[in-house]
Short mmCIF file of all heavy atoms in Angstrom, two decimals:
data_model
loop_
_atom_site.label_atom_id
_atom_site.label_comp_id
_atom_site.label_asym_id
_atom_site.label_seq_id
_atom_site.Cartn_x
_atom_site.Cartn_y
_atom_site.Cartn_z
N MET G 1150 100.76 64.59 -151.24
CA MET G 1150 102.11 64.26 -151.66
C MET G 1150 102.80 65.52 -152.20
O MET G 1150 102.32 66.15 -153.14
CB MET G 1150 102.06 63.19 -152.75
CG MET G 1150 103.41 62.53 -152.99
SD MET G 1150 103.23 61.18 -154.20
CE MET G 1150 104.23 61.85 -155.52
N ASP G 1151 103.88 65.87 -151.58
CA ASP G 1151 104.62 67.04 -152.03
C ASP G 1151 105.48 66.71 -153.23
O ASP G 1151 106.18 65.70 -153.23
CB ASP G 1151 105.51 67.58 -150.90
CG ASP G 1151 104.68 68.27 -149.84
OD1 ASP G 1151 103.54 68.68 -150.15
OD2 ASP G 1151 105.15 68.39 -148.71
N ARG G 1152 105.41 67.58 -154.18
CA ARG G 1152 106.28 67.39 -155.34
C ARG G 1152 107.58 68.15 -155.11
O ARG G 1152 107.56 69.26 -154.60
CB ARG G 1152 105.59 67.91 -156.60
CG ARG G 1152 104.43 67.01 -157.01
CD ARG G 1152 104.18 67.16 -158.47
NE ARG G 1152 102.86 67.76 -158.70
CZ ARG G 1152 102.36 67.99 -159.90
NH1 ARG G 1152 103.07 67.73 -160.96
NH2 ARG G 1152 101.19 68.51 -160.06
N PRO G 1153 108.68 67.55 -155.46
CA PRO G 1153 109.96 68.23 -155.25
C PRO G 1153 110.14 69.39 -156.22
O PRO G 1153 109.61 69.37 -157.32
CB PRO G 1153 110.99 67.12 -155.52
CG PRO G 1153 110.30 66.20 -156.48
CD PRO G 1153 108.84 66.24 -156.10
N LEU G 1154 110.87 70.38 -155.76
CA LEU G 1154 111.25 71.47 -156.65
C LEU G 1154 112.23 70.93 -157.68
O LEU G 1154 113.16 70.22 -157.34
CB LEU G 1154 111.92 72.58 -155.85
CG LEU G 1154 111.03 73.66 -155.22
CD1 LEU G 1154 111.89 74.61 -154.41
CD2 LEU G 1154 110.24 74.41 -156.27
N GLN G 1155 112.00 71.30 -158.90
CA GLN G 1155 112.94 70.92 -159.95
C GLN G 1155 113.33 72.15 -160.74
O GLN G 1155 112.53 73.05 -160.93
CB GLN G 1155 112.30 69.88 -160.88
CG GLN G 1155 112.06 68.55 -160.20
CD GLN G 1155 111.51 67.54 -161.17
OE1 GLN G 1155 110.33 67.46 -161.40
NE2 GLN G 1155 112.39 66.77 -161.78
N ARG G 1156 114.57 72.17 -161.17
CA ARG G 1156 115.04 73.34 -161.92
C ARG G 1156 114.70 73.19 -163.39
O ARG G 1156 115.11 72.22 -164.02
CB ARG G 1156 116.55 73.52 -161.73
CG ARG G 1156 117.05 74.83 -162.35
CD ARG G 1156 118.52 75.05 -162.06
NE ARG G 1156 118.80 75.21 -160.64
CZ ARG G 1156 118.63 76.35 -159.96
NH1 ARG G 1156 118.21 77.43 -160.58
NH2 ARG G 1156 118.90 76.41 -158.68
N CYS G 1157 113.97 74.16 -163.88
CA CYS G 1157 113.58 74.17 -165.28
C CYS G 1157 114.80 74.43 -166.15
O CYS G 1157 115.58 75.35 -165.89
CB CYS G 1157 112.52 75.25 -165.49
SG CYS G 1157 112.14 75.56 -167.21
N ILE G 1158 114.95 73.63 -167.19
CA ILE G 1158 116.13 73.78 -168.04
C ILE G 1158 115.99 74.93 -169.03
O ILE G 1158 116.96 75.32 -169.67
CB ILE G 1158 116.47 72.48 -168.82
CG1 ILE G 1158 115.29 71.99 -169.62
CG2 ILE G 1158 116.96 71.41 -167.86
CD1 ILE G 1158 115.33 72.35 -171.08
N VAL G 1159 114.79 75.47 -169.15
CA VAL G 1159 114.59 76.58 -170.08
C VAL G 1159 114.80 77.93 -169.38
O VAL G 1159 115.58 78.75 -169.82
CB VAL G 1159 113.20 76.53 -170.74
CG1 VAL G 1159 112.99 77.72 -171.67
CG2 VAL G 1159 113.05 75.22 -171.50
N CYS G 1160 114.11 78.14 -168.27
CA CYS G 1160 114.18 79.45 -167.62
C CYS G 1160 115.07 79.43 -166.38
O CYS G 1160 115.44 80.47 -165.86
CB CYS G 1160 112.78 79.94 -167.25
SG CYS G 1160 111.96 78.94 -166.00
N GLY G 1161 115.39 78.23 -165.89
CA GLY G 1161 116.29 78.13 -164.75
C GLY G 1161 115.60 78.32 -163.40
O GLY G 1161 116.25 78.29 -162.36
N GLU G 1162 114.27 78.52 -163.42
CA GLU G 1162 113.53 78.68 -162.17
C GLU G 1162 113.26 77.32 -161.54
O GLU G 1162 113.12 76.32 -162.24
CB GLU G 1162 112.19 79.38 -162.45
CG GLU G 1162 112.32 80.79 -162.98
CD GLU G 1162 112.81 81.76 -161.92
OE1 GLU G 1162 112.45 81.58 -160.75
OE2 GLU G 1162 113.55 82.68 -162.28
N GLU G 1163 113.16 77.32 -160.24
CA GLU G 1163 112.80 76.08 -159.56
C GLU G 1163 111.30 76.05 -159.33
O GLU G 1163 110.74 76.94 -158.71
CB GLU G 1163 113.56 75.96 -158.23
CG GLU G 1163 115.04 75.70 -158.46
CD GLU G 1163 115.73 75.32 -157.17
OE1 GLU G 1163 115.26 75.73 -156.10
OE2 GLU G 1163 116.75 74.61 -157.25
N ARG G 1164 110.66 75.03 -159.85
CA ARG G 1164 109.21 74.91 -159.76
C ARG G 1164 108.82 73.46 -159.50
O ARG G 1164 109.62 72.54 -159.69
CB ARG G 1164 108.55 75.38 -161.07
CG ARG G 1164 108.84 76.81 -161.42
CD ARG G 1164 108.08 77.16 -162.69
NE ARG G 1164 108.64 78.31 -163.38
CZ ARG G 1164 108.28 79.57 -163.13
NH1 ARG G 1164 107.39 79.83 -162.21
NH2 ARG G 1164 108.82 80.56 -163.81
N THR G 1165 107.54 73.30 -159.10
CA THR G 1165 107.05 71.95 -158.85
C THR G 1165 106.20 71.44 -160.01
O THR G 1165 106.08 70.25 -160.21
CB THR G 1165 106.20 71.89 -157.57
OG1 THR G 1165 105.18 72.88 -157.65
CG2 THR G 1165 107.06 72.14 -156.34
N VAL G 1166 105.59 72.37 -160.75
CA VAL G 1166 104.67 71.97 -161.80
C VAL G 1166 105.33 72.10 -163.16
O VAL G 1166 105.83 73.16 -163.52
CB VAL G 1166 103.39 72.83 -161.77
CG1 VAL G 1166 102.42 72.36 -162.86
CG2 VAL G 1166 102.73 72.73 -160.40
N GLY G 1167 105.33 71.00 -163.89
CA GLY G 1167 105.92 71.03 -165.21
C GLY G 1167 105.98 69.63 -165.78
O GLY G 1167 105.37 68.70 -165.26
N ILE G 1168 106.70 69.50 -166.86
CA ILE G 1168 106.82 68.19 -167.50
C ILE G 1168 108.27 67.74 -167.50
O ILE G 1168 109.19 68.56 -167.51
CB ILE G 1168 106.29 68.21 -168.96
CG1 ILE G 1168 106.99 69.30 -169.79
CG2 ILE G 1168 104.78 68.38 -168.97
CD1 ILE G 1168 106.82 69.10 -171.28
N ALA G 1169 108.45 66.44 -167.51
CA ALA G 1169 109.79 65.89 -167.61
C ALA G 1169 110.01 65.38 -169.02
O ALA G 1169 109.19 64.63 -169.55
CB ALA G 1169 109.97 64.75 -166.61
N ILE G 1170 111.08 65.84 -169.63
CA ILE G 1170 111.45 65.33 -170.95
C ILE G 1170 112.79 64.64 -170.80
O ILE G 1170 113.76 65.25 -170.35
CB ILE G 1170 111.52 66.47 -171.99
CG1 ILE G 1170 110.13 67.07 -172.17
CG2 ILE G 1170 112.07 65.94 -173.31
CD1 ILE G 1170 110.06 68.14 -173.22
N TRP G 1171 112.84 63.39 -171.19
CA TRP G 1171 113.96 62.54 -170.86
C TRP G 1171 114.19 62.67 -169.36
O TRP G 1171 113.27 62.44 -168.60
CB TRP G 1171 115.20 62.91 -171.68
CG TRP G 1171 114.96 62.65 -173.13
CD1 TRP G 1171 114.87 61.43 -173.71
CD2 TRP G 1171 114.73 63.59 -174.18
NE1 TRP G 1171 114.61 61.57 -175.06
CE2 TRP G 1171 114.53 62.87 -175.37
CE3 TRP G 1171 114.68 64.99 -174.21
CZ2 TRP G 1171 114.28 63.50 -176.58
CZ3 TRP G 1171 114.43 65.61 -175.42
CH2 TRP G 1171 114.24 64.87 -176.59
N ASP G 1172 115.31 63.12 -168.96
CA ASP G 1172 115.58 63.22 -167.54
C ASP G 1172 115.47 64.65 -167.04
O ASP G 1172 115.78 64.94 -165.91
CB ASP G 1172 116.99 62.68 -167.27
CG ASP G 1172 117.03 61.91 -165.98
OD1 ASP G 1172 115.95 61.67 -165.41
OD2 ASP G 1172 118.12 61.56 -165.54
N GLN G 1173 115.02 65.53 -167.91
CA GLN G 1173 115.04 66.95 -167.60
C GLN G 1173 113.66 67.49 -167.34
O GLN G 1173 112.66 66.88 -167.68
CB GLN G 1173 115.69 67.74 -168.76
CG GLN G 1173 117.06 67.24 -169.15
CD GLN G 1173 118.06 67.42 -168.04
OE1 GLN G 1173 118.12 68.47 -167.40
NE2 GLN G 1173 118.84 66.39 -167.76
N PHE G 1174 113.63 68.66 -166.73
CA PHE G 1174 112.38 69.25 -166.31
C PHE G 1174 112.12 70.57 -167.02
O PHE G 1174 113.01 71.41 -167.15
CB PHE G 1174 112.43 69.48 -164.80
CG PHE G 1174 111.20 70.13 -164.24
CD1 PHE G 1174 110.04 69.40 -164.04
CD2 PHE G 1174 111.21 71.48 -163.89
CE1 PHE G 1174 108.90 70.00 -163.52
CE2 PHE G 1174 110.07 72.09 -163.37
CZ PHE G 1174 108.92 71.36 -163.18
N ILE G 1175 110.91 70.73 -167.51
CA ILE G 1175 110.49 72.00 -168.10
C ILE G 1175 109.25 72.44 -167.34
O ILE G 1175 108.27 71.70 -167.26
CB ILE G 1175 110.20 71.86 -169.61
CG1 ILE G 1175 111.49 71.49 -170.36
CG2 ILE G 1175 109.63 73.16 -170.16
CD1 ILE G 1175 111.26 71.18 -171.83
N CYS G 1176 109.30 73.65 -166.79
CA CYS G 1176 108.19 74.12 -165.97
C CYS G 1176 106.95 74.40 -166.82
O CYS G 1176 107.04 74.58 -168.04
CB CYS G 1176 108.61 75.34 -165.15
SG CYS G 1176 108.82 76.83 -166.12
N HIS G 1177 105.83 74.47 -166.14
CA HIS G 1177 104.57 74.64 -166.85
C HIS G 1177 104.53 75.91 -167.71
O HIS G 1177 104.13 75.84 -168.87
CB HIS G 1177 103.42 74.60 -165.85
CG HIS G 1177 102.08 74.58 -166.50
ND1 HIS G 1177 101.63 73.51 -167.24
CD2 HIS G 1177 101.11 75.52 -166.57
CE1 HIS G 1177 100.42 73.80 -167.71
NE2 HIS G 1177 100.09 75.01 -167.33
N PRO G 1178 104.93 77.06 -167.15
CA PRO G 1178 104.91 78.28 -167.99
C PRO G 1178 105.77 78.14 -169.24
O PRO G 1178 105.35 78.58 -170.33
CB PRO G 1178 105.48 79.36 -167.06
CG PRO G 1178 105.20 78.86 -165.69
CD PRO G 1178 105.31 77.36 -165.77
N CYS G 1179 106.93 77.51 -169.12
CA CYS G 1179 107.79 77.34 -170.29
C CYS G 1179 107.18 76.36 -171.27
O CYS G 1179 107.28 76.53 -172.49
CB CYS G 1179 109.18 76.88 -169.87
SG CYS G 1179 110.16 78.17 -169.09
N GLU G 1180 106.55 75.33 -170.74
CA GLU G 1180 105.90 74.35 -171.61
C GLU G 1180 104.82 75.04 -172.44
O GLU G 1180 104.71 74.82 -173.65
CB GLU G 1180 105.29 73.24 -170.75
CG GLU G 1180 104.72 72.10 -171.57
CD GLU G 1180 103.61 71.38 -170.85
OE1 GLU G 1180 103.51 71.51 -169.61
OE2 GLU G 1180 102.84 70.70 -171.52
N GLN G 1181 104.04 75.89 -171.76
CA GLN G 1181 102.99 76.63 -172.46
C GLN G 1181 103.58 77.54 -173.53
O GLN G 1181 103.05 77.66 -174.63
CB GLN G 1181 102.16 77.46 -171.46
CG GLN G 1181 101.36 76.61 -170.50
CD GLN G 1181 100.39 75.68 -171.21
OE1 GLN G 1181 99.53 76.11 -171.95
NE2 GLN G 1181 100.54 74.38 -171.00
N GLU G 1182 104.69 78.19 -173.18
CA GLU G 1182 105.37 79.06 -174.14
C GLU G 1182 105.78 78.26 -175.38
O GLU G 1182 105.58 78.69 -176.51
CB GLU G 1182 106.63 79.64 -173.51
CG GLU G 1182 106.40 80.89 -172.67
CD GLU G 1182 105.96 82.08 -173.53
OE1 GLU G 1182 106.69 82.42 -174.47
OE2 GLU G 1182 104.90 82.63 -173.26
N MET G 1183 106.33 77.08 -175.12
CA MET G 1183 106.82 76.26 -176.23
C MET G 1183 105.69 75.80 -177.12
O MET G 1183 105.80 75.79 -178.34
CB MET G 1183 107.59 75.05 -175.69
CG MET G 1183 108.94 75.44 -175.12
SD MET G 1183 109.79 74.06 -174.38
CE MET G 1183 110.36 73.19 -175.82
N VAL G 1184 104.59 75.42 -176.48
CA VAL G 1184 103.44 74.93 -177.24
C VAL G 1184 102.89 76.01 -178.17
O VAL G 1184 102.53 75.74 -179.31
CB VAL G 1184 102.33 74.43 -176.27
CG1 VAL G 1184 101.02 74.20 -177.02
CG2 VAL G 1184 102.77 73.16 -175.58
N LYS G 1185 102.86 77.25 -177.67
CA LYS G 1185 102.26 78.30 -178.48
C LYS G 1185 103.28 79.04 -179.35
O LYS G 1185 102.91 79.90 -180.13
CB LYS G 1185 101.48 79.28 -177.59
CG LYS G 1185 102.37 80.18 -176.76
CD LYS G 1185 101.51 81.10 -175.90
CE LYS G 1185 102.39 82.09 -175.16
NZ LYS G 1185 101.73 82.70 -174.02
N THR G 1186 104.53 78.70 -179.17
CA THR G 1186 105.55 79.38 -179.96
C THR G 1186 105.55 78.87 -181.40
O THR G 1186 105.65 77.68 -181.64
CB THR G 1186 106.95 79.18 -179.35
OG1 THR G 1186 106.97 79.76 -178.06
CG2 THR G 1186 108.02 79.86 -180.19
N ASP G 1187 105.43 79.78 -182.30
CA ASP G 1187 105.46 79.43 -183.71
C ASP G 1187 106.90 79.25 -184.17
O ASP G 1187 107.82 79.83 -183.60
CB ASP G 1187 104.80 80.57 -184.50
CG ASP G 1187 104.55 80.16 -185.94
OD1 ASP G 1187 103.53 79.51 -186.20
OD2 ASP G 1187 105.41 80.47 -186.79
N VAL G 1188 107.06 78.45 -185.21
CA VAL G 1188 108.41 78.22 -185.73
C VAL G 1188 109.05 79.53 -186.18
O VAL G 1188 110.27 79.69 -186.14
CB VAL G 1188 108.37 77.21 -186.91
CG1 VAL G 1188 109.78 76.88 -187.39
CG2 VAL G 1188 107.66 75.93 -186.48
N GLN G 1189 108.21 80.46 -186.60
CA GLN G 1189 108.72 81.75 -187.07
C GLN G 1189 109.08 82.68 -185.91
O GLN G 1189 109.72 83.71 -186.13
CB GLN G 1189 107.65 82.46 -187.93
CG GLN G 1189 107.19 81.64 -189.12
CD GLN G 1189 108.32 81.28 -190.07
OE1 GLN G 1189 109.17 82.11 -190.36
NE2 GLN G 1189 108.34 80.05 -190.53
N ASP G 1190 108.66 82.32 -184.73
CA ASP G 1190 108.90 83.18 -183.57
C ASP G 1190 110.39 83.26 -183.25
O ASP G 1190 111.11 82.27 -183.37
CB ASP G 1190 108.13 82.62 -182.37
CG ASP G 1190 108.00 83.63 -181.25
OD1 ASP G 1190 109.03 83.95 -180.61
OD2 ASP G 1190 106.89 84.10 -181.01
N GLU G 1191 110.80 84.42 -182.82
CA GLU G 1191 112.23 84.59 -182.52
C GLU G 1191 112.67 83.77 -181.31
O GLU G 1191 113.85 83.51 -181.14
CB GLU G 1191 112.55 86.08 -182.30
CG GLU G 1191 111.74 86.70 -181.16
CD GLU G 1191 112.11 88.17 -180.96
OE1 GLU G 1191 112.80 88.75 -181.81
OE2 GLU G 1191 111.68 88.72 -179.93
N LYS G 1192 111.69 83.35 -180.50
CA LYS G 1192 112.04 82.56 -179.32
C LYS G 1192 112.25 81.08 -179.66
O LYS G 1192 112.82 80.34 -178.90
CB LYS G 1192 110.92 82.68 -178.26
CG LYS G 1192 111.12 83.87 -177.35
CD LYS G 1192 110.11 83.87 -176.23
CE LYS G 1192 108.72 84.24 -176.74
NZ LYS G 1192 107.73 84.43 -175.68
N TYR G 1193 111.75 80.69 -180.83
CA TYR G 1193 111.78 79.28 -181.17
C TYR G 1193 113.19 78.68 -181.20
O TYR G 1193 113.41 77.62 -180.62
CB TYR G 1193 111.07 79.05 -182.52
CG TYR G 1193 110.71 77.61 -182.76
CD1 TYR G 1193 109.59 77.06 -182.14
CD2 TYR G 1193 111.47 76.81 -183.59
CE1 TYR G 1193 109.26 75.73 -182.36
CE2 TYR G 1193 111.15 75.47 -183.80
CZ TYR G 1193 110.04 74.95 -183.19
OH TYR G 1193 109.72 73.64 -183.40
N PRO G 1194 114.15 79.36 -181.81
CA PRO G 1194 115.53 78.81 -181.82
C PRO G 1194 116.08 78.63 -180.41
O PRO G 1194 116.85 77.70 -180.16
CB PRO G 1194 116.33 79.87 -182.59
CG PRO G 1194 115.32 80.56 -183.44
CD PRO G 1194 114.06 80.58 -182.61
N PHE G 1195 115.65 79.49 -179.50
CA PHE G 1195 116.11 79.37 -178.12
C PHE G 1195 115.61 78.05 -177.52
O PHE G 1195 116.36 77.32 -176.87
CB PHE G 1195 115.60 80.56 -177.30
CG PHE G 1195 115.84 80.41 -175.81
CD1 PHE G 1195 117.12 80.57 -175.30
CD2 PHE G 1195 114.80 80.12 -174.95
CE1 PHE G 1195 117.35 80.43 -173.94
CE2 PHE G 1195 115.02 79.98 -173.59
CZ PHE G 1195 116.30 80.13 -173.08
N PHE G 1196 114.35 77.76 -177.74
CA PHE G 1196 113.80 76.50 -177.22
C PHE G 1196 114.50 75.30 -177.84
O PHE G 1196 114.84 74.34 -177.16
CB PHE G 1196 112.30 76.42 -177.48
CG PHE G 1196 111.49 77.37 -176.65
CD1 PHE G 1196 110.55 78.19 -177.22
CD2 PHE G 1196 111.67 77.42 -175.27
CE1 PHE G 1196 109.80 79.06 -176.45
CE2 PHE G 1196 110.93 78.29 -174.49
CZ PHE G 1196 109.99 79.11 -175.08
N ILE G 1197 114.69 75.36 -179.13
CA ILE G 1197 115.36 74.26 -179.82
C ILE G 1197 116.76 74.05 -179.27
O ILE G 1197 117.21 72.92 -179.05
CB ILE G 1197 115.42 74.53 -181.35
CG1 ILE G 1197 114.01 74.59 -181.94
CG2 ILE G 1197 116.27 73.48 -182.05
CD1 ILE G 1197 113.23 73.29 -181.77
N LYS G 1198 117.42 75.17 -179.01
CA LYS G 1198 118.78 75.09 -178.47
C LYS G 1198 118.78 74.40 -177.10
O LYS G 1198 119.62 73.55 -176.83
CB LYS G 1198 119.37 76.51 -178.36
CG LYS G 1198 120.88 76.51 -178.34
CD LYS G 1198 121.42 77.94 -178.30
CE LYS G 1198 121.63 78.37 -176.86
NZ LYS G 1198 122.03 79.77 -176.74
N GLN G 1199 117.81 74.78 -176.28
CA GLN G 1199 117.72 74.19 -174.95
C GLN G 1199 117.42 72.69 -175.05
O GLN G 1199 117.98 71.88 -174.33
CB GLN G 1199 116.63 74.88 -174.12
CG GLN G 1199 116.91 76.33 -173.85
CD GLN G 1199 118.14 76.55 -172.99
OE1 GLN G 1199 119.25 76.54 -173.49
NE2 GLN G 1199 117.95 76.72 -171.71
N MET G 1200 116.50 72.36 -175.94
CA MET G 1200 116.12 70.95 -176.12
C MET G 1200 117.30 70.14 -176.63
O MET G 1200 117.54 69.02 -176.20
CB MET G 1200 114.96 70.83 -177.12
CG MET G 1200 113.72 71.56 -176.70
SD MET G 1200 112.93 70.78 -175.29
CE MET G 1200 112.09 69.44 -176.09
N ARG G 1201 118.02 70.74 -177.56
CA ARG G 1201 119.15 70.02 -178.14
C ARG G 1201 120.23 69.78 -177.10
O ARG G 1201 120.90 68.75 -177.12
CB ARG G 1201 119.71 70.84 -179.31
CG ARG G 1201 120.84 70.12 -180.02
CD ARG G 1201 121.28 70.87 -181.24
NE ARG G 1201 120.22 70.92 -182.26
CZ ARG G 1201 120.35 71.48 -183.44
NH1 ARG G 1201 121.47 72.06 -183.76
NH2 ARG G 1201 119.37 71.48 -184.30
N ARG G 1202 120.35 70.73 -176.18
CA ARG G 1202 121.34 70.58 -175.13
C ARG G 1202 121.03 69.34 -174.28
O ARG G 1202 121.91 68.60 -173.91
CB ARG G 1202 121.36 71.85 -174.25
CG ARG G 1202 122.66 72.06 -173.56
CD ARG G 1202 122.80 73.46 -173.07
NE ARG G 1202 121.88 73.75 -171.99
CZ ARG G 1202 121.74 74.95 -171.43
NH1 ARG G 1202 122.44 75.96 -171.87
NH2 ARG G 1202 120.90 75.13 -170.45
N ILE G 1203 119.74 69.14 -174.02
CA ILE G 1203 119.34 67.94 -173.27
C ILE G 1203 119.66 66.70 -174.07
O ILE G 1203 120.22 65.74 -173.58
CB ILE G 1203 117.81 67.93 -173.02
CG1 ILE G 1203 117.36 69.22 -172.36
CG2 ILE G 1203 117.42 66.73 -172.17
CD1 ILE G 1203 115.84 69.36 -172.37
N TRP G 1204 119.28 66.77 -175.32
CA TRP G 1204 119.42 65.61 -176.19
C TRP G 1204 120.88 65.20 -176.33
O TRP G 1204 121.22 64.02 -176.22
CB TRP G 1204 118.82 65.94 -177.56
CG TRP G 1204 118.60 64.72 -178.39
CD1 TRP G 1204 117.52 63.89 -178.36
CD2 TRP G 1204 119.49 64.18 -179.38
NE1 TRP G 1204 117.71 62.87 -179.27
CE2 TRP G 1204 118.87 63.01 -179.90
CE3 TRP G 1204 120.74 64.58 -179.87
CZ2 TRP G 1204 119.50 62.24 -180.89
CZ3 TRP G 1204 121.34 63.80 -180.86
CH2 TRP G 1204 120.71 62.66 -181.35
N LEU G 1205 121.72 66.20 -176.52
CA LEU G 1205 123.14 65.91 -176.66
C LEU G 1205 123.71 65.32 -175.38
O LEU G 1205 124.55 64.42 -175.39
CB LEU G 1205 123.91 67.19 -177.03
CG LEU G 1205 123.68 67.69 -178.46
CD1 LEU G 1205 124.38 69.02 -178.68
CD2 LEU G 1205 124.16 66.68 -179.48
N LYS G 1206 123.23 65.85 -174.25
CA LYS G 1206 123.71 65.35 -172.97
C LYS G 1206 123.30 63.88 -172.79
O LYS G 1206 124.07 63.07 -172.32
CB LYS G 1206 123.09 66.21 -171.84
CG LYS G 1206 123.92 66.22 -170.58
CD LYS G 1206 123.42 67.26 -169.60
CE LYS G 1206 122.64 66.59 -168.49
NZ LYS G 1206 122.02 67.57 -167.58
N GLU G 1207 122.07 63.61 -173.20
CA GLU G 1207 121.55 62.25 -173.06
C GLU G 1207 122.33 61.25 -173.94
O GLU G 1207 122.43 60.09 -173.62
CB GLU G 1207 120.07 62.20 -173.47
CG GLU G 1207 119.15 62.74 -172.42
CD GLU G 1207 119.12 61.87 -171.18
OE1 GLU G 1207 118.83 60.67 -171.29
OE2 GLU G 1207 119.41 62.38 -170.08
N ASN G 1208 122.82 61.76 -175.06
CA ASN G 1208 123.46 60.85 -176.01
C ASN G 1208 124.98 60.95 -176.03
O ASN G 1208 125.61 60.39 -176.91
CB ASN G 1208 122.89 61.11 -177.42
CG ASN G 1208 121.45 60.64 -177.52
OD1 ASN G 1208 121.19 59.48 -177.76
ND2 ASN G 1208 120.52 61.55 -177.28
N ALA G 1209 125.50 61.68 -175.09
CA ALA G 1209 126.96 61.85 -175.05
C ALA G 1209 127.64 60.53 -174.72
O ALA G 1209 127.12 59.72 -173.97
CB ALA G 1209 127.33 62.91 -174.01
ZN1 ZN W 2761 110.76 77.36 -167.05
#
């Protein structure tokens, strides 16, 4: 079974492997980044911003 390409909302790359959060897709590498990213990490606000964008869209 072929998995469709989906555009990752974090990095914008089209990939087949990743997770779906609400209706959105986060690719596996980004998911791994998020899991290991510490709250103190400078990348953390970026992830939160991306996640919030999904959330706001879902609740608009
Ligand atoms: Zn990604």
Side-chain angles (χ1 to χ4, degrees):
M1150 195 176 115
D1151 287 339
R1152 289 204 245 181
L1154 273 176
Q1155 292 183 275
R1156 187 175 296 279
C1157 171
I1158 55 99
V1159 178
C1160 66
E1162 296 289 325
E1163 289 191 333
R1164 300 183 201 271
T1165 53
V1166 182
I1168 55 163
I1170 296 183
W1171 295 289
D1172 218 8
Q1173 306 296 315
F1174 178 77
I1175 296 174
C1176 72
H1177 188 68
C1179 287
E1180 186 206 342
Q1181 293 302 301
E1182 276 293 304
M1183 287 175 76
V1184 168
K1185 72 181 186 199
T1186 298
D1187 191 83
V1188 184
Q1189 303 301 318
D1190 196 290
E1191 59 179 11
K1192 273 186 288 188
Y1193 197 79
F1195 171 74
F1196 289 130
I1197 296 299
K1198 203 177 92 185
Q1199 296 296 82
M1200 300 291 281
R1201 183 174 295 182
R1202 205 162 69 184
I1203 306 168
W1204 195 85
L1205 288 175
K1206 205 170 104 185
E1207 283 293 304
N1208 290 276

